[in-house]
Amino acid sequence: MSRVRISDRWRRDGAVMAAFLWLICAAGPALAQRELRISTSPETPMPFVTTVVAPAARFSAVSEVAGALAVGHRPKQPAHVSIFRLDAQGQIVPGEPVTILLPKPAALGARPNHVIGMAWHPRFPLLYVWQDVEPQPAEGPPIDPATSAEFDHLLVYSLEEAQLNLVLATARGADFYCGNAGGGFALNATATRLYVPNMQQPDKMKKMVTAIGWLWLDPDGLPVFAKPDEKPNEVSLPTAKPSSLDPPAAATARAAKLALWEQAKVAGQPLVLRKTQEVTVQFHYSYPSPACYAPIDDDAVLLTASAGIMSWAISDRLGRFSYFYLLPQVPHRYRLALHPDLPVVYVTTLIYDGRIIRMEHADGAITLTPQTVLLDNIVTYSPVQVLTKRNQLAVGANGWVCLVDLDERGRFKPQGFRMTVNNPTVETIAWSSKFERLYVPVEKTP
Amino acid sequence: MISIRSVVFQGLILACYAAPAVARTIVITDADCERMAAISSEAPRLGWAGAAYTTAEYGNSAIYITQKSAFLIVYPLDRIPPGQRIVKAEWTVPYLQAFPLATGSRIQVRRILQEWGPGVSHLYRMTRPQRLEWHTPGAHGAGQDRSTKATAVVTIKGTGEHTFNVTEDVELWYTGAVPNFGWLLTADDPDSFFNMHSPFWNGAKGFKLRITYEPQ
């Protein structure tokens, strides 16, 4: 009996001693104030998450207007794009998705083509898809321009009718580098600019260098073709007017325009896309150019650079581009996403660790310093999605979808969750603020 | 009954609480700082015009300090417990080159006198929550934007690190005699070109504020 009591007292005193020593240790050097490390709590399932069986998914985009979720697949899959219909609550309509095989010219032979980016028009049921072909091996020669001359990078699909229709295929030729594994593709909020990847132009020595920029869109949602007397890629072109057409009027305008273009094509008149593009030191000869676009407004866009992120202030002749290098250095792996309501951008480093970086921008320029959250035992595979009404951020990871709570300034709170999904590499997720639903492509049903 | 075990345990606690007051040193690095900027009159809207790569292209891979540019930083001092006296404070910055090579860069450190924050640039000390200009662009307003008296004015040569004595400033901030809006590091004369490493590149955690304090 006595021996038991002594043992209890030792245990009690030992616990006090341990707590005391812990206090001494805890008073030592603290973590840097900008860094937060959290362990996510398991929470499966999450009621607002809809998993979609779409194997090898790399891109996804949801349209509340079209009532559809588009999923772009990795290269060498049976389909390039799958379209899932949504019901009025945003749930996936049962049944097989509509699948799309993207067109390519016969001259490219067996070289596979693949999706690089997708975006829905915010007001019309139009899906923009950017495609490319498999890159040459590093030591191989570039793709023969003759074989890719008729390869259209931009495809515009319409879901206005029951069937999906390809309404336009364009963006071909030497203005776009052919043979890229990736690249940024984004539509601005007013749907006047379609930011596209891997543009190129000759330098003073007539050597092609990479460029960044956008194609102009008309109010009907179709690209603008330059008038015969117009320089197609003037930087200081007037800003296009945002769409004021209602969907039926836009559809009528598109039909008329497409008929005219068809006539012009038959008559052998060249159609040249109106675009704005610029060359920067950062992207000289470097692809993808860029890996990611995040348009803020008509004057400012954020992009990923190989070593971090950069701002492009279009009206600023003096400080046009500003690069913010990020550590750790993982070239070409950074992906960014804007907070829809706050001047905040989030950056993930793909297939590296569970790090998410938050930065603020002001007038389009990156400002102050990053805040970082590191999710323990997580490897991120996707850009983030901000779940606006939930004040949370979601990211695709190694077999999970992870959520991190945000405060009113979009800063990370020390609380995160993870939901197990049947996908070892969740490369894409899509959020609908209307349906308050997060769509997560998975390999198969559980 | 008093056991040897409890005597040792209580003695340890007493030793910790009743020990004579000793000075303690902490090091705060750039990784702890939320407010930092590199401003330049040559890119007056940018908050990170640290290194000039080519015309209109800037970045944070290095911090060039010239008469036209400056580095701004605020170190949080909340790790110093209350009731202390600042014995010594030293601020170390890492750098690659100081031009002119023969005579070195003439560099000055000054306290910033006005609040600054999101959107800080050569033109503005912040653009959120409201757009506020510096008294003089570049925080050049002596006695308005920056302290009239320099904390340090030094000539720096070669390559490596330079340490500034900033004891008086840290004491002023810690005691609350003046608010902590950080320092501005800039060049004194038109020939100086001080090429600092970047807190976001090869100088990460190299911008160190070492503070020694003791109980009052």
Side-chain angles (χ1 to χ4, degrees):
Chain A
M1 191 69 178
S2 168
R3 282 170 63 189
V4 171
R5 234 184 288 133
I6 288 167
S7 167
D8 284 351
R9 281 167 61 186
W10 270 107
R11 198 174 293 135
R12 184 197 62 208
D13 289 355
V16 172
M17 179 81 86
F20 182 70
L21 290 172
W22 181 86
L23 275 172
I24 291 171
C25 294
L31 273 178
Q33 298 194 358
R34 301 198 323 251
E35 296 173 6
L36 188 63
R37 185 175 192 136
I38 59 174
S39 293
T40 50
S41 309
E43 188 177 316
T44 305
M46 295 179 183
F48 60 93
V49 172
T50 294
T51 55
V52 187
V53 178
R58 177 157 286 170
F59 305 95
S60 60
V62 63
S63 170
E64 292 149 0
V65 172
L69 173 75
V71 176
H73 300 277
R74 290 197 286 265
K76 301 176 184 173
Q77 301 301 313
H80 293 115
V81 177
S82 299
I83 305 288
F84 297 83
R85 291 285 192 172
L86 306 179
D87 67 18
Q89 282 71 48
Q91 299 284 6
I92 303 287
V93 174
E96 290 298 308
V98 174
T99 55
I100 305 173
L101 274 173
L102 305 178
K104 66 167 185 176
L108 280 166
R111 182 181 292 277
N113 53 335
H114 57 259
V115 182
I116 276 190
M118 298 191 310
W120 287 99
H121 193 285
R123 299 184 63 231
F124 311 137
L126 294 178
L127 175 67
Y128 305 90
V129 179
W130 194 263
Q131 65 162 341
D132 211 317
V133 296
E134 187 180 53
Q136 285 286 89
E139 65 278 9
I143 294 170
D144 180 359
T147 63
S148 61
E150 295 184 349
F151 180 71
D152 291 310
H153 289 273
L154 177 63
L155 307 161
V156 185
Y157 290 90
S158 168
L159 250 184
E160 284 163 312
E161 294 162 15
Q163 280 197 322
L164 190 71
N165 291 319
L166 175 62
V167 294
L168 182 69
T170 186
R172 61 169 66 175
D175 290 350
F176 307 96
Y177 185 81
C178 204
N180 296 284
F185 186 67
L187 194 61
N188 68 340
T190 51
T192 54
R193 298 175 184 182
L194 189 60
Y195 289 85
V196 302
N198 308 319
M199 298 168 112
Q200 58 179 6
Q201 65 185 58
D203 66 6
K204 287 176 185 168
M205 306 299 290
K206 308 286 182 201
K207 182 172 179 176
M208 290 304 241
V209 293
T210 54
I212 52 176
W214 67 86
L215 308 179
W216 289 95
L217 295 185
D218 258 341
D220 60 17
L222 290 179
V224 181
F225 286 102
K227 293 177 183 129
D229 57 343
E230 180 182 288
K231 287 184 181 174
N233 56 350
E234 277 290 327
V235 168
S236 56
L237 282 169
T239 303
K241 284 184 180 170
S243 175
S244 57
L245 297 176
D246 59 29
T252 307
R254 282 195 296 274
K257 198 180 283 177
L258 288 165
L260 279 176
W261 288 345
E262 198 54 43
Q263 285 174 17
K265 206 186 289 180
V266 170
Q269 292 170 5
L271 290 171
V272 182
L273 286 164
R274 183 193 279 182
K275 57 188 187 299
T276 293
Q277 65 187 57
E278 285 199 52
V279 173
T280 80
V281 166
Q282 183 73 20
F283 290 111
H284 259 67
Y285 318 120
S286 168
Y287 295 97
S289 170
C292 212
Y293 286 107
I296 296 169
D297 55 30
D298 279 353
D299 191 40
V301 56
L302 294 178
L303 310 89
T304 51
S306 63
I309 63 172
M310 62 180 276
S311 61
W312 178 13
I314 291 141
S315 70
D316 190 348
R317 305 306 305 180
L318 299 173
R320 202 163 185 75
F321 300 103
S322 177
Y323 303 94
F324 198 98
Y325 281 60
L326 293 170
L327 289 174
Q329 263 302 294
V330 194
H332 302 295
R333 299 270 190 91
Y334 304 112
R335 297 293 182 272
L336 54 82
L338 291 175
H339 192 295
D341 304 321
L342 298 171
V344 169
V345 61
Y346 299 98
V347 184
T348 48
T349 309
L350 299 187
I351 322 175
Y352 182 72
D353 61 11
R355 187 181 311 261
I356 305 170
I357 297 167
R358 170 199 180 272
M359 296 214 65
E360 290 191 31
H361 59 85
D363 298 336
I366 298 150
T367 188
L368 303 181
T369 60
Q371 186 205 12
T372 301
V373 66
L374 184 62
L375 308 178
D376 268 345
N377 301 314
I378 297 293
V379 178
T380 58
Y381 276 80
S382 83
V384 306
Q385 289 278 329
V386 179
L387 317 188
T388 37
K389 290 175 186 167
R390 302 183 60 85
N391 257 0
Q392 285 181 314
L393 173 153
V395 68
N398 46 329
W400 289 294
V401 173
C402 298
L403 302 182
V404 181
D405 287 354
L406 303 176
D407 69 14
E408 69 284 355
R409 288 174 55 203
R411 295 173 63 93
F412 304 118
K413 289 164 82 171
Q415 181 150 296
F417 307 92
R418 65 181 191 274
M419 171 180 159
T420 304
V421 293
N422 206 341
N423 185 348
T425 58
V426 183
E427 293 186 42
T428 181
I429 53 178
W431 169 250
S432 163
S433 55
K434 178 185 172 186
F435 299 128
E436 293 189 53
R437 188 150 292 285
L438 184 69
Y439 300 93
V440 181
V442 295
E443 296 300 299
K444 55 187 175 184
T445 48
Chain B
M1 189 179 124
I2 299 172
S3 68
I4 294 171
R5 169 178 48 80
S6 67
V7 168
V8 169
F9 180 57
Q10 287 169 28
L12 182 59
I13 292 174
L14 275 173
C16 291
Y17 278 98
V22 289
R24 184 151 186 236
T25 298
I26 57 169
V27 178
I28 310 168
T29 76
D30 48 273
D32 297 298
C33 302
E34 292 189 8
R35 277 189 287 172
M36 249 187 274
I39 62 174
S40 168
S41 61
E42 294 181 331
R45 286 166 51 180
L46 293 182
W48 281 107
Y53 302 137
T54 183
T55 308
E57 296 192 32
Y58 294 83
N60 73 337
S61 59
I63 310 289
Y64 299 167
I65 300 296
T66 68
Q67 204 180 36
K68 294 178 177 176
S69 62
F71 178 59
L72 289 67
I73 188 166
V74 179
Y75 285 87
L77 301 179
D78 52 6
R79 278 174 54 197
I80 309 172
Q84 307 294 311
R85 184 179 75 82
I86 305 300
V87 176
K88 193 177 184 184
E90 293 176 317
W91 183 33
T92 300
V93 300
Y95 67 98
L96 181 65
Q97 295 157 312
F99 293 97
L101 287 173
T103 55
S105 298
R106 189 89 174 139
I107 296 298
Q108 52 176 279
V109 176
R110 288 174 189 264
R111 272 188 297 111
I112 301 173
L113 302 182
Q114 298 211 74
E115 181 69 274
W116 58 279
V120 61
S121 66
H122 178 79
L123 295 176
Y124 301 104
R125 57 189 173 94
M126 66 178 76
T127 58
R128 284 196 304 271
Q130 59 182 130
R131 194 174 291 269
L132 296 172
E133 294 176 346
W134 295 107
H135 178 270
T136 307
H140 278 280
Q144 303 284 339
D145 301 316
R146 58 168 87 172
S147 58
T148 310
K149 181 191 162 201
T151 302
V153 180
V154 295
T155 298
I156 302 175
K157 290 184 178 179
T159 185
E161 291 183 337
H162 185 83
T163 299
F164 302 96
N165 184 342
V166 291
T167 308
E168 194 180 318
D169 287 356
V170 173
E171 178 76 24
L172 285 170
W173 291 333
Y174 173 71
T175 59
V178 297
N180 177 8
F181 298 133
W183 288 298
L184 175 139
L185 193 144
T186 189
D188 218 7
D189 65 76
D191 295 332
S192 286
F193 177 86
F194 185 50
N195 181 358
M196 288 199 300
H197 288 303
S198 167
F200 302 97
W201 192 243
N202 46 9
K205 298 189 180 176
F207 290 74
K208 291 173 281 200
L209 177 59
R210 180 183 295 271
I211 304 170
T212 302
Y213 57 84
E214 64 183 17
Q216 281 184 327

